[in-house]
Amino acid sequence: MNTEIGVVLSGGGIRAAAHIGVLQALNENGIFPSVISAASGGAIVGALYCGGYEPRKIFELCDEHDFLKIFKIGLLYKNFTELTHLKTFLETHLLQKEFEHLLIPLYISVCNLNSGKNEIISDGHIIPYLLGSCSIPVLFRPVLINNQMYVDGGLINDLPIEPLEDKGLKILGVNTCSHGYKSEVLGMRHVAERSLQMSIWNNTEVRLERCHYALDLTDTFVYGLFAIKKSEELFNIGYNTAQKHMSEILDKLKS
């Protein structure tokens, strides 16, 4: 495909595994993103992909090292926890530690608690901003970077399309943030998760509409943010959904 493609990956906890399946399907059909912009779990997938890993290898790494367990650790303690498991994983397996050294440009959405604003980062050290973008409020300790406190970028911008809009790209947005009617919301954990989903979807929906093609992975919505044993199922949902819509995707993104 001659047209340059930008891919935007939402957050969504463990549902980020579906993004890996989408990238696998895209690559199999000759679509190779020239830039990725992402938030939270999508940013981790994006960083590994932009660093040179093929999608299948990303999934193998995540599965082998139980990496996606990071989205559950925060539930095990009464106090904030730090993303030490994720930090160790990234320090070991992220081949390039600086944005400038990545093989494909990457943008990461983070929320600055001090300013109360969204920031989209594309230079400097990658790992601190990945940790910040995955720091789900209340569960994980905010990440301190240059004397500023950062948390999950999805709070304000879960589908950071903005840095791609002025590059003459065709943009594919991929969403795993649950939305729509929910018949039961029981217990403190589910209330908190549902409240977070509502806030995130409010800033995601308008951005999906600005993409040349929006892939809304609705089959992932039945999985909670912390369903760590379902990563293979989620990978398959991303892969199969992308393949199902591939003719439309190719039509919208072709030159």
Side-chain angles (χ1 to χ4, degrees):
M1 179 174 289
N2 296 327
T3 304
E4 290 196 343
I5 306 299
V7 172
V8 191
L9 304 175
S10 75
I14 184 64
R15 293 193 294 269
H19 290 316
I20 308 174
V22 170
L23 289 171
Q24 178 66 32
L26 292 176
N27 286 184
E28 288 181 7
N29 286 274
I31 300 176
F32 296 90
S34 55
V35 58
I36 290 179
S37 187
S40 195
I44 299 171
V45 173
L48 292 169
Y49 185 86
C50 291
Y53 287 106
E54 295 180 351
R56 288 284 185 187
K57 182 60 178 177
I58 295 174
F59 183 78
E60 290 173 10
L61 281 176
C62 295
D63 191 50
E64 177 184 349
H65 295 277
D66 212 7
F67 140 73
L68 292 168
K69 187 184 291 184
I70 64 161
F71 293 110
K72 186 175 182 180
I73 289 177
L75 298 176
L76 304 179
Y77 302 91
K78 295 180 180 179
N79 299 317
F80 291 141
T81 58
E82 296 184 4
L83 291 164
T84 52
H85 190 80
L86 173 59
K87 183 178 181 181
T88 299
F89 173 88
L90 292 172
E91 288 176 343
T92 303
H93 297 288
L94 189 62
L95 303 180
Q96 297 85 12
K97 306 300 192 292
E98 307 286 328
F99 282 92
E100 293 79 5
H101 297 158
L102 292 171
L103 304 182
I104 300 171
L106 173 70
Y107 296 86
I108 296 175
S109 173
V110 290
C111 178
N112 185 320
L113 281 183
N114 297 96
S115 68
K117 297 180 179 180
N118 175 244
E119 295 180 17
I120 299 177
I121 310 299
S122 60
D123 57 56
H125 301 301
I126 302 170
I127 293 177
Y129 289 105
L130 284 174
L131 296 176
S133 192
C134 289
S135 182
I136 301 172
V138 181
L139 297 183
F140 298 110
R141 188 184 303 278
V143 177
L144 182 66
I145 307 172
N146 298 326
N147 295 317
Q148 300 291 296
M149 303 295 287
Y150 288 92
V151 294
D152 193 337
L155 288 178
I156 300 178
N157 190 345
D158 198 48
L159 199 80
I161 188 177
E162 289 80 0
L164 308 189
E165 290 186 301
D166 61 352
K167 296 185 180 300
L169 301 165
K170 292 295 182 70
I171 301 173
L172 170 65
V174 187
N175 175 59
T176 63
C177 174
S178 178
H179 57 87
Y181 183 78
K182 203 171 187 68
S183 59
E184 291 185 348
V185 183
L186 303 174
M188 183 179 297
R189 171 180 158 183
H190 291 140
V191 170
E193 184 174 338
R194 179 62 170 167
S195 299
L196 182 62
Q197 288 171 351
M198 290 164 59
S199 174
I200 292 174
W201 176 243
N202 188 55
N203 74 63
T204 302
E205 183 178 17
V206 293
R207 290 182 169 91
L208 274 177
E209 293 172 354
R210 285 153 49 189
C211 298
H212 293 94
Y213 192 87
L215 195 60
D216 198 18
L217 300 179
T218 56
D219 287 346
T220 68
F221 297 172
V222 298
Y223 298 86
L225 291 173
F226 312 103
I228 61 173
K229 295 182 180 180
K230 304 297 184 179
S231 57
E232 185 171 359
E233 293 178 24
L234 286 159
F235 173 92
N236 289 332
I237 287 172
Y239 178 82
N240 292 331
T241 303
Q243 291 286 24
K244 178 181 178 181
H245 295 276
M246 191 56 63
S247 62
E248 301 171 39
I249 294 172
L250 291 168
D251 183 60
K252 292 288 186 179
L253 302 184
K254 68 182 181 181
S255 56

